[in-house]
Amino acid sequence: MARSPLTLAASATAALPRIAVVGAGPLTEHAAGRFDAAFVRLEDGRDAVVRMPAGEDSAADLAAESRALVALTPGVRALLPFRAPEVLGECGSGAARVLVVDFLPGYRVDPAHLPKGRGIATAVGAALAAVHALPPSIVRTDGLPVRTPEQVRDDVVRLLDRVEGTRRAPDVLAERWRRAVESDELWRFESAVVLGGATSSTFLLADDGDDVRVVSALEWAGLSVGDPATDLRWLASAPEAADAVLSGYTADAARAPDALLRERARLYAELEFARWLVHGVDTGDDTVIDDAVALLDALADGVRGDRIVPNAPVDLESAMAFVERMPEPGTVAADTSMQTDTYDPEMLSLFIATERDRTDSPPDSADSPDFGLDGLRHPEETATAPIDITGWAHRSDDGSPVPADTGSPAGPDASDQDGPLEEETARASRAALRWWGRDGSTRLSSGG
């Protein structure tokens, strides 16, 4: 049962032994029921927020929040263009821990309601870039988690092993995720300071004339060094605003984001379904397992035929290896592998709905390749009967018909054209072979 504001206010007096609490009221937070929270007014006129964990499972998160906020020294806070809560007092441990921080005003916007275009979306993107630009030393100095790209990748591999061990995830998703993990290109990124799973509702906003700005950031429990894409996985639940968020992020980033940042964010978003399944199996909760399986099935339908990692450039060695692996002529199985990211029920349900809308709607012409085939008719529009050419004949200059010559080539130079054509073909073949071996590492011969 949730604690009342009065109960929390009484607990706050233990964390603030020399400051009296003169008022208390309810506080609605985006904490998914993990914490009990209340707004309190102190005798010195300050407003504060008191939190206690709702259970043992969330006690570690509240302890991590306190630790992260303490790591944000005045020097570190000066590097941020917005405020972060300051710890006013704390006491207790485990499920009895009490944390009191200063109250920060502002409003939040959930990912599902984030408008597209400049404004809130770009402001949130810029705020995330500011966090990722913090010096990693602040995390290492305080003993907070530090993950290298190799460790991040290994974590995903272990998760996939667990998921496949349940035998409840669709094969098409398992193959899709494995392909992503095995792509070296996907994991070429530089670790940065991250919030460990931020969303647009992590940030408090304020209107500034016709503009909107981020005034503070909450939810610091996941502060660590890791993959910047973990703070962008929520973009799967904000498809309309995703481009604007990334635009704001790139414009204010201290360094250029890696090329596949968005693809990894998508992967992490899809893997949230996988974590939910593993959680259900670990706890033996059949309701959670059934829910996770339904989500995974819907996800599989939504991403069918799609890939997380775009096709990588093929070098000569890879091309030759591919040729050697080609099967003998016959039936070739089509590749239907797929790929996508972590568990937030609201975010992932919206993601599935978005994918369903995408697959049900006609492709966007702006995203579809143009093969210049618009003027061609479908095969059924043309007849397949033999063509009658009995009435065809050459015409002389005065328009009179001239019998067609069906015995010899069309003219005296026709036989001479084969030689130049063959030479041109040979030259093109040699040029292509030289292009494949242009790095000098492989010597190719035309066979002549």
Side-chain angles (χ1 to χ4, degrees):
M1 181 177 178
R3 303 175 180 91
S4 69
L6 289 178
T7 300
L8 292 170
S11 300
T13 60
L16 302 170
R18 292 180 295 274
I19 303 176
V21 175
V22 297
L27 179 68
T28 302
E29 289 196 321
H30 293 65
R34 294 180 299 127
F35 307 120
D36 296 331
F39 170 87
V40 296
R41 176 154 292 167
L42 308 180
E43 64 177 349
D44 58 9
R46 289 182 296 173
D47 294 331
V49 174
V50 54
R51 292 188 183 92
M52 293 187 69
E56 291 290 346
D57 293 341
S58 54
D61 291 338
L62 192 63
E65 177 88 7
S66 173
R67 188 178 180 185
L69 293 177
V70 171
L72 298 178
T73 62
V76 174
R77 292 170 183 269
L79 299 175
L80 294 170
F82 47 79
R83 294 182 60 190
E86 294 188 35
V87 176
L88 302 181
E90 61 180 321
C91 65
S93 62
R97 178 181 293 275
V98 179
L99 177 64
V100 182
V101 299
D102 60 337
F103 174 78
L104 299 176
Y107 65 91
R108 309 192 202 199
V109 177
D110 290 330
H113 302 117
L114 196 66
K116 63 180 179 180
R118 293 190 56 83
I120 298 176
T122 51
V124 169
L128 283 171
V131 174
H132 294 173
L134 289 174
S137 59
I138 69 170
V139 171
R140 296 191 180 98
T141 301
D142 285 88
L144 296 172
V146 176
R147 313 295 291 172
T148 65
E150 293 76 17
Q151 291 171 322
V152 171
R153 187 180 191 178
D154 289 343
D155 288 344
V156 175
V157 171
R158 283 191 290 271
L159 174 61
L160 294 186
D161 290 342
R162 294 288 314 279
V163 172
E164 292 174 356
T166 67
R167 300 184 181 278
R168 300 298 301 271
D171 291 340
V172 72
L173 288 181
E175 183 180 355
R176 168 185 174 84
W177 294 335
R178 283 291 179 187
R179 281 180 175 271
V181 168
E182 292 169 0
S183 171
D184 293 336
E185 184 181 10
L186 184 66
W187 305 100
R188 294 186 183 126
F189 65 88
E190 184 177 355
S191 294
V193 174
V194 297
L195 293 174
T199 72
S200 61
S201 61
T202 297
F203 300 97
L204 294 180
L205 308 166
D207 295 326
D208 187 5
D210 294 333
D211 203 359
V212 177
R213 60 188 179 91
V214 172
V215 293
S216 58
L218 309 178
E219 301 172 11
W220 291 82
L223 184 65
S224 59
V225 170
D227 186 354
T230 59
D231 284 341
L232 293 166
R233 66 175 184 237
W234 60 275
L235 293 180
S237 60
E240 293 292 329
D243 289 340
V245 172
L246 289 171
S247 175
Y249 178 84
T250 303
D252 283 55
R255 54 179 176 266
D258 63 276
L260 296 179
L261 174 72
R262 190 168 189 170
E263 284 73 12
R264 284 197 316 282
R266 180 181 176 89
L267 172 64
Y268 295 145
E270 293 183 12
L271 290 179
E272 198 60 31
F273 294 103
R275 295 184 192 278
W276 186 232
L277 174 62
V278 170
H279 171 71
V281 172
D282 289 344
T283 58
D285 191 329
D286 290 336
T287 301
V288 172
I289 294 174
D290 292 341
D291 180 55
V293 170
L295 290 170
L296 288 167
D297 288 341
L299 176 62
D301 291 339
V303 301
R304 192 171 301 277
D306 182 27
R307 291 193 177 192
I308 292 177
V309 185
N311 293 331
V314 180
D315 55 17
L316 176 60
E317 183 178 352
S318 300
M320 296 302 293
F322 175 78
V323 171
E324 292 174 358
R325 294 196 303 269
M326 287 293 290
E328 294 298 322
T331 303
V332 180
D335 185 315
T336 57
S337 60
M338 298 179 266
Q339 306 137 2
T340 348
D341 286 334
T342 289
Y343 179 69
D344 179 340
E346 182 179 354
M347 180 184 76
L348 293 180
S349 62
L350 177 61
F351 171 66
I352 286 182
T354 302
E355 289 293 333
R356 282 176 171 168
D357 291 343
R358 179 181 63 80
T359 56
D360 292 341
S361 61
D364 186 354
S365 59
D367 297 331
S368 303
D370 181 8
F371 296 104
L373 305 179
D374 293 341
L376 296 182
R377 293 177 294 176
H378 292 291
E380 61 271 17
E381 296 178 10
T382 58
T384 58
I387 301 174
D388 183 7
I389 61 173
T390 55
W392 288 12
H394 294 288
R395 297 280 177 176
S396 63
D397 293 340
D398 58 2
S400 59
V402 177
D405 184 355
T406 58
S408 61
D413 297 331
S415 59
D416 297 336
Q417 293 175 359
D418 293 340
L421 180 60
E422 292 176 357
E423 292 179 7
E424 183 64 26
T425 302
R427 281 198 299 272
S429 300
R430 289 194 295 271
L433 290 170
R434 284 198 299 274
W435 185 86
W436 277 103
R438 66 186 185 279
D439 59 355
S441 61
T442 306
R443 301 298 180 186
L444 298 175
S445 171
S446 63

